[in-house]
């Protein structure tokens, strides 16, 4: 009989690990709280002996540094990455034949996703931020405006959020600090005129009102605003959503013109399956991420290595940081 202990943050995650390693025939021997009362530890057994290794009473944590593919597999599972995408990334990582799981996963990510910084410094097109209510669009507009002002470049900020109570006031509070005049445009015609009036005067940032992507009226209203101007459309999405729902939302905004995906609330996110799912299904470029709720927190660049570090367990990343300080420094 093979006996093995699995640890995870939740009972569901621990049971998923049992199923992954032992299959449906596993026998649950015991369940208990994890170390220091956090998480769950499950001891499971199976009668079938599949190899010559001695599995008796070994812990799941002890295996973490032995097999990079197993580490990556568990990380993708724990992050809620959809099965097909997870299988593709694991297969790509196996082809890398690298011993370091961070570099192997980064290589796989680089094969399946594209990364592009926010088009700051290029004032050829306005930037429109779209997404669901509460995604963090207004704060992200403030962060982008601050970034441009710090570069001593001109910027115009336009809000089309004239319906939500306090929507104008929230963004105006930020623009006043930056000594910028906030322009209001409630209709496609007003937006078109506002952009025409601001052209040639630096960057143009447009805050599109949040809408329900599953409501045809809301989608049509956002579509009219987006189509009123020729702009770079960026989907802003808060972390921690359901991966399948995030993919469905991303697909809708892709049809509205979104080409980049910006993740917010990174500090409040522990599982990034929705982020990968949305980008993969809608073929969106992964751009910068919002780290915290404050404008001072700014935006951080995203690349294959930083994304791999987000997905993998802290202990693995710490080991990578200790051994690959130059790579860590290059990619943030």
């Amino acid at each position: 009989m093979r006996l093995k202990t699995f640890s995870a943050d939740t009972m569901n995650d621990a049971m998923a690990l049992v199923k992954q390693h032992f299959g449906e025939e596993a026998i649950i021997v015991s369940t208990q709280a994890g170390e220091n009362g956090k998480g769950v530890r499950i001891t499971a057994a199976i009668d079938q002996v599949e190899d010559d290794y001695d599995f008796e009473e070994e812990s799941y944590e002890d295996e973490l540094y032995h097999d990079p593919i197993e580490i990556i597999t568990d990380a993708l599972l724990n992050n809620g990455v959809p099965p097909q995408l997870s299988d593709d990334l694991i297969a790509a990582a196996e082809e890398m034949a690298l011993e370091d799981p961070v570099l192997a996963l980064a290589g796989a990510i680089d094969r399946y996703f594209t990364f592009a910084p926010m088009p700051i410094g290029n004032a050829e097109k306005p930037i429109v931020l779209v997404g669901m209510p509460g995604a963090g669009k207004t704060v992200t507009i403030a962060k982008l405006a601050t970034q441009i002002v710090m570069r001593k470049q001109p910027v115009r900020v336009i809000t089309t959020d004239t319906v939500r109570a306090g929507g104008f006031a929230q963004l105006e509070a930020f623009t006043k600090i930056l000594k910028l005049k906030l322009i209001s445009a409630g209709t496609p015609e007003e937006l078109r005129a506002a952009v025409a009036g601001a052209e040639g005067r630096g960057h143009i940032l447009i805050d599109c009102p949040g809408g329900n992507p599953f409501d045809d009226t809301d989608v049509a209203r956002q579509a009219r605003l987006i189509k009123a101007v020729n702009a770079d459309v960026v989907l802003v999405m808060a972390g921690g959503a359901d991966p399948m729902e995030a993919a469905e939302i991303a697909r809708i905004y892709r049809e509205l013109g979104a080409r980049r995906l910006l993740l917010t609330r990174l500090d409040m996110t522990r599982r990034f399956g929705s982020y990968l799912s949305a980008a993969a299904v809608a073929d969106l470029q992964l751009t910068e991420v919002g780290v915290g709720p404050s404008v001072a927190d700014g935006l951080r660049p995203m690349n294959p290595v930083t994304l791999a570090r987000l997905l993998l367990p802290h202990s693995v990343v710490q080991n990578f940081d200790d051994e690959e300080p130059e790579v860590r420094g290059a990619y943030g």
Side-chain angles (χ1 to χ4, degrees):
M1 173 177 286
R2 289 174 56 184
L3 188 67
K4 191 172 181 180
T5 300
F6 300 83
S7 298
D9 291 341
T10 67
M11 180 63 75
N12 286 340
D13 289 346
M15 289 299 296
L17 289 172
V18 172
K19 184 178 179 181
Q20 176 192 356
H21 286 261
F22 282 173
E24 298 289 351
E25 297 179 355
I27 301 169
I28 304 303
V29 177
S30 68
T31 62
Q32 55 187 302
E35 188 174 357
N36 299 322
K38 297 181 179 178
V40 177
R41 290 172 61 87
I42 293 179
T43 300
I46 189 170
D47 288 332
Q48 182 181 3
V49 178
E50 297 179 347
D51 53 42
D52 296 328
Y53 289 102
D54 179 11
F55 286 93
E56 186 174 1
E57 292 290 349
E58 70 181 17
S59 68
Y60 174 69
E61 294 92 334
D62 291 340
E63 294 182 348
L64 281 176
Y65 293 94
H66 294 176
D67 184 354
I69 299 305
E70 186 169 350
I71 295 170
I72 291 171
T73 301
D74 289 340
L76 297 177
L77 176 66
N78 288 330
N79 276 276
V81 178
Q84 183 59 58
L85 176 58
S86 181
D87 289 346
D88 291 344
L89 290 171
I90 292 167
E94 285 180 319
E95 290 182 14
M96 299 287 170
L98 297 172
E99 294 183 358
D100 190 298
V102 176
L103 293 179
L105 182 55
I109 289 171
D110 190 42
R111 183 174 297 182
Y112 279 89
F113 296 94
T114 57
F115 295 79
M118 289 293 289
I120 299 301
N122 177 2
E124 294 181 358
K125 286 185 177 181
I127 297 174
V128 178
L129 300 190
V130 298
M132 295 179 67
K137 297 184 297 299
T138 299
V139 172
T140 302
I141 285 280
K143 291 180 178 182
L144 290 171
T146 302
Q147 188 176 337
I148 296 169
V149 169
M150 294 292 289
R151 294 184 178 190
K152 301 186 183 303
Q153 295 177 343
V155 57
R156 298 289 185 274
V157 180
I158 302 172
T159 179
T160 60
D161 191 358
T162 58
V163 178
R164 178 171 59 102
F168 183 90
Q170 182 186 5
L171 187 53
E172 187 181 39
F174 292 126
T175 54
K176 278 186 175 179
I177 295 172
L178 298 173
K179 299 181 179 178
L180 300 174
K181 180 183 178 182
L182 179 60
I183 304 168
S184 177
T187 66
E189 294 74 21
E190 291 174 354
L191 177 60
R192 193 177 297 112
V195 169
E199 284 180 341
R201 300 182 181 183
H203 294 82
I204 302 173
L205 304 177
I206 303 171
D207 187 13
C208 194
N212 180 356
F214 307 118
D215 183 289
D216 291 342
T217 302
D218 271 9
V219 171
R221 177 169 57 90
Q222 293 178 85
R224 287 194 295 272
L225 289 167
I226 292 169
K227 292 178 180 178
V229 294
N230 180 23
D232 285 313
V233 183
V234 180
L235 172 59
V236 179
M237 182 176 287
D242 174 79
M244 300 305 292
E245 192 163 297
E248 190 172 356
I249 293 169
R251 188 184 292 113
I252 293 171
Y253 279 105
R254 168 77 186 194
E255 292 177 358
L256 295 181
R259 294 295 181 268
R260 286 181 171 87
L261 175 62
L262 190 152
L263 183 72
T264 61
R265 302 179 186 174
L266 194 67
D267 56 322
M268 300 172 66
T269 303
R270 292 296 178 267
R271 290 174 176 78
F272 297 91
S274 60
Y275 186 42
L276 272 64
S277 176
V281 168
D283 191 24
L284 297 175
Q285 295 177 315
L286 299 174
T287 188
E288 298 164 21
V289 295
V291 178
S294 170
V295 174
D297 294 326
L299 299 171
R300 304 285 178 82
M302 182 62 76
N303 57 55
V305 172
T306 47
L307 182 51
R309 294 174 76 230
L310 287 175
L311 293 166
L312 290 165
H314 176 74
S315 57
V316 174
V317 173
Q318 186 62 49
N319 188 50
F320 170 79
D321 289 346
D322 291 342
E323 295 184 358
E324 304 284 352
E326 294 182 358
V327 176
R328 179 200 59 189
Y331 291 98

